[in-house]
């Protein structure tokens, strides 16, 4: 049942409508009903005191792994969406590398049914490009779209066959959905553990060259130009890729890109402790690459910030770095890490919110990530001044594989509204700040 909610006195920041003003926001029947300086609302209503807080469109993550079906010991739809809610996300796109792979209608429907029954936020499935993500035969893309998929991707098992990728783009164009590519040449990266450079040499670990990413970025740009399809490049990590995307955009090619907080906060130096929680794909690169990624965010080359939330069980990561799986969790730290870009003058607050709301919504073609009258009321309320320490033991995710353990961060989620229902963060509720209802 939806609530009647009045969010009062917050800084309403909505890049889609160019709004940045202190005011009130009324939600009725799951939509934004009224916005104004001081709304006089009578009758039963849940009042949320947002003084000193940001009131923004619900955050959208283009890149999460919910692991269900098949890997429920790492994450489930219930735990993954709880982590998303704690991190301020109201919509998340889940990648298809489940078991079985989400390459058909039945798996898509299963995920959506689980999300409807147990999900805390909206779940937007991404279907596989090829059957079983084996890179051999196209999946039934039309069937996936009809079932509810918003994009296609083979994610961590990228399509190496360029002819097959071309056909996938041509089909995706027919259905007006983006192709999301994890850009990695599997031949160049084979056996690699971390970024290839001075640090990998010093540690004696096999490296993955930056070219593993950039050659596939270049291929995808060429295919996007050839087919006219919308191509979205996932988790960009190195300067060479940023340069290619910048030039492609200058030429008017329909390519978009995302990066993740770890690529603008960490470098390959983080691997020096042989910590498996610093092992991810693409790997953490150099300081110069980090600065190039930040420059790409600043000038709009990189459209969106995503998490690549990739949970793994403790026993999988607690081993030698060579044998540990790639990936880290990210849903519950993404906003605070991204807010550092504002503190350090890389992005304005308006631009940061855009990369977490309006831009990802545009990439998947959904009318979300906005707070106009009549829009769906997915809202995130943020305390930008709240300071906290990363304690993975308190996280909602089933997995704890974060390289940010113990970091002191600023900016915390106070709560979210999803489908007309207000959910305060556990911390806000515990501190007695949960809003009461009045009549």
């Amino acid at each position: 049942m939806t609530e009647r909610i009045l969010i009062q006195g917050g800084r309403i920041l909505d890049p889609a409508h160019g709004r940045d003003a202190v005011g009130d926001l009324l939600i009725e029947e799951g939509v934004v009903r009224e916005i104004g300086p001081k709304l006089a609302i009578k009758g039963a209503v849940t009042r949320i005191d947002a003084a000193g807080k940001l009131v923004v469109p619900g955050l959208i993550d283009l890149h999460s792994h919910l692991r269900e079906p098949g890997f429920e010991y790492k994450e489930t739809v219930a735990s993954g969406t709880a982590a998303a809610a704690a991190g301020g996300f109201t919509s998340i796109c889940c990648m298809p590398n489940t078991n079985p792979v989400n390459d058909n209608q039945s798996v898509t429907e299963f995920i959506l049914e689980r999300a409807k029954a147990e999900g805390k936020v909206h779940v937007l499935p991404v279907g596989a490009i090829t059957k079983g993500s084996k890179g051999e035969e196209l999946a039934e893309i039309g069937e996936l779209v009809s079932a509810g998929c918003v994009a296609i991707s083979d994610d961590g098992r990228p399509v190496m066959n360029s002819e097959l990728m071309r056909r996938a783009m041509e089909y995706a164009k027919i259905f007006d959905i983006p192709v999301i590519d994890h850009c990695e040449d599997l031949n160049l990266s084979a056996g690699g553990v971390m970024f290839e450079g001075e640090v990998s040499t010093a540690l004696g670990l096999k490296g993955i060259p930056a070219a593993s990413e950039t050659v596939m970025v270049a291929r995808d740009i060429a295919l996007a130009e050839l087919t006219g399809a919308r191509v979205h490049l996932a988790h960009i990590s190195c300067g060479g890729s940023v340069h290619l995307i910048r030039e492609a955009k200058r030429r008017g090619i329909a390519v978009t890109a995302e990066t993740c907080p770890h690529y603008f906060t960490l470098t390959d130096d983080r691997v020096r402790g042989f910590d498996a929680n610093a092992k991810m794909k693409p790997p953490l690169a150099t300081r110069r690459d980090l600065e190039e990624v930040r420059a790409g965010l600043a000038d709009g080359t990189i459209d969106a910030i995503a998490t690549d939330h990739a949970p793994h069980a403790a026993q999988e990561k607690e081993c030698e770095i060579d044998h540990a799986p790639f990936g880290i969790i990210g849903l519950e730290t993404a906003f605070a890490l991204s807010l550092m870009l504002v503190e350090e003058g890389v992005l304005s607050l308006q631009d940061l919110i855009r990369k977490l709301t309006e831009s990802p919504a545009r990439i998947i073609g959904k009318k979300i990530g906005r707070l106009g009258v009549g829009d769906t009321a997915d809202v995130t309320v943020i305390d930008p001044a709240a300071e906290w320490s990363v304690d993975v033991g308190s996280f909602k995710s089933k997995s704890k594989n974060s390289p940010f353990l113990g970091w002191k961060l600023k900016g915390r989620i106070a709560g979210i509204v999803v489908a007309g229902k207000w959910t305060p963060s556990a911390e806000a509720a515990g501190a007695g700040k949960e809003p009461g209802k009045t009549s």
Side-chain angles (χ1 to χ4, degrees):
M1 181 177 178
T2 61
E3 300 173 85
R4 192 166 182 248
I5 301 169
L6 181 63
I7 303 175
Q8 294 180 296
R11 179 181 173 186
I12 303 172
L13 209 164
D14 176 19
H17 292 93
R19 179 177 289 112
D20 184 358
V22 173
D24 298 349
L25 187 147
L26 177 66
I27 296 168
E28 291 181 336
E29 298 177 344
V31 300
V32 177
R33 190 66 68 193
E34 193 173 352
I35 301 172
K38 289 187 178 180
L39 301 180
I41 305 300
K42 297 181 179 179
V45 63
T46 297
R47 297 178 185 272
I48 300 169
D49 179 5
K53 298 183 175 62
L54 304 175
V55 179
V56 307
L59 308 185
I60 302 166
D61 184 23
L62 288 171
H63 200 134
S64 289
H65 299 268
L66 294 180
R67 305 302 195 199
E68 187 178 5
F71 303 103
E72 288 84 354
Y73 68 98
K74 298 172 186 263
E75 197 75 286
T76 62
V77 170
S79 64
T81 57
F89 292 93
T90 59
S91 298
I92 57 173
C93 298
C94 62
M95 288 293 153
N97 56 340
T98 48
N99 186 19
V101 170
N102 183 15
D103 62 0
N104 63 74
Q105 179 179 346
S106 296
V107 179
T108 303
E109 289 178 346
F110 171 83
I111 293 169
L112 289 173
E113 286 169 5
R114 298 294 288 177
K116 184 178 181 181
E118 301 180 352
K120 305 296 184 186
V121 304
H122 303 296
V123 173
L124 306 172
V126 175
I129 294 175
T130 63
K131 292 181 179 179
S133 288
K134 295 179 179 178
E136 298 170 352
E137 182 182 0
L138 288 181
E140 295 293 339
I141 296 171
E143 177 184 298
L144 289 167
V145 174
S146 296
C149 288
V150 298
I152 54 173
S153 175
D154 271 359
D155 194 50
R157 300 174 66 182
V159 179
M160 296 299 295
N161 183 325
S162 297
E163 168 65 12
L164 197 61
M165 193 60 158
R166 172 187 179 174
R167 300 307 172 198
M169 290 185 188
E170 290 171 343
Y171 273 104
K173 184 180 179 182
I174 292 171
F175 296 104
D176 193 25
I177 58 170
V179 176
I180 300 176
D181 199 23
H182 164 120
C183 295
E184 176 188 357
D185 184 310
L186 297 174
N187 300 300
L188 285 171
S189 65
V193 175
M194 63 173 295
F195 189 79
E196 181 178 294
E198 293 180 7
V199 179
S200 66
T201 300
L203 297 180
L205 295 174
K206 182 172 173 52
I208 298 172
S212 172
E213 178 177 287
T214 55
V215 296
M216 296 300 273
V217 168
R219 181 202 71 168
D220 287 350
I221 289 171
L223 292 178
E225 185 173 25
L226 175 66
T227 63
R230 291 192 288 131
V231 176
H232 179 68
L233 305 176
H235 43 53
I236 292 302
S237 68
C238 65
S241 298
V242 175
H243 297 165
L244 289 166
I245 297 164
R246 184 178 289 125
E247 174 61 15
K249 287 191 168 187
R250 188 190 67 77
R251 293 167 52 209
I253 299 172
V255 60
T256 55
E258 73 190 32
T259 190
C260 307
H262 36 286
Y263 298 123
F264 54 76
T265 55
L266 299 174
T267 70
D268 55 352
D269 271 327
R270 182 63 177 77
V271 188
R272 288 188 184 277
F274 294 94
D275 181 1
N277 287 332
K279 182 180 179 182
M280 58 207 68
K281 265 190 181 178
L284 298 172
T286 66
R287 169 60 59 178
R288 182 174 180 178
D289 291 293
L290 179 150
E291 296 299 339
E292 294 279 10
V293 167
R294 287 182 169 211
L297 284 164
D299 70 8
T301 299
I302 297 176
D303 305 81
I305 295 172
T307 69
D308 195 10
H309 177 80
H312 292 293
Q315 66 271 21
E316 294 176 312
K317 282 289 197 179
E318 291 173 352
C319 62
E320 291 182 8
I321 193 167
D322 298 83
H323 304 295
F326 293 91
I328 61 170
I329 57 173
L331 284 166
E332 294 171 77
T333 51
F335 180 80
L337 290 167
S338 300
L339 189 60
M340 293 167 63
L341 297 173
V342 178
E343 298 278 332
E344 296 171 10
V346 178
L347 293 177
S348 68
L349 186 56
Q350 183 93 222
D351 282 342
L352 173 62
I353 298 302
R354 177 178 291 108
K355 290 181 190 297
L356 289 162
T357 58
E358 181 191 13
S359 291
R362 170 174 49 81
I363 289 166
I364 57 174
K366 290 288 184 182
K367 290 184 178 179
I368 54 179
R370 48 199 296 151
L371 282 182
V373 173
D375 286 333
T376 299
D378 292 338
V379 185
T380 300
V381 180
I382 302 163
D383 184 345
E387 297 180 352
W388 58 289
S389 298
V390 177
D391 173 13
V392 294
S394 67
F395 280 6
K396 303 296 184 185
S397 172
K398 290 183 76 170
S399 295
K400 313 300 177 188
N401 50 310
S402 171
F404 299 106
L405 176 64
W407 275 43
K408 309 290 185 186
L409 298 177
K410 189 176 179 183
R412 191 134 212 198
I413 306 305
I416 60 172
V417 177
V418 178
K421 182 180 179 182
W422 164 251
T423 302
S425 74
E427 291 72 21
K433 297 177 181 177
E434 186 174 3
K437 290 184 178 181
T438 61
S439 60

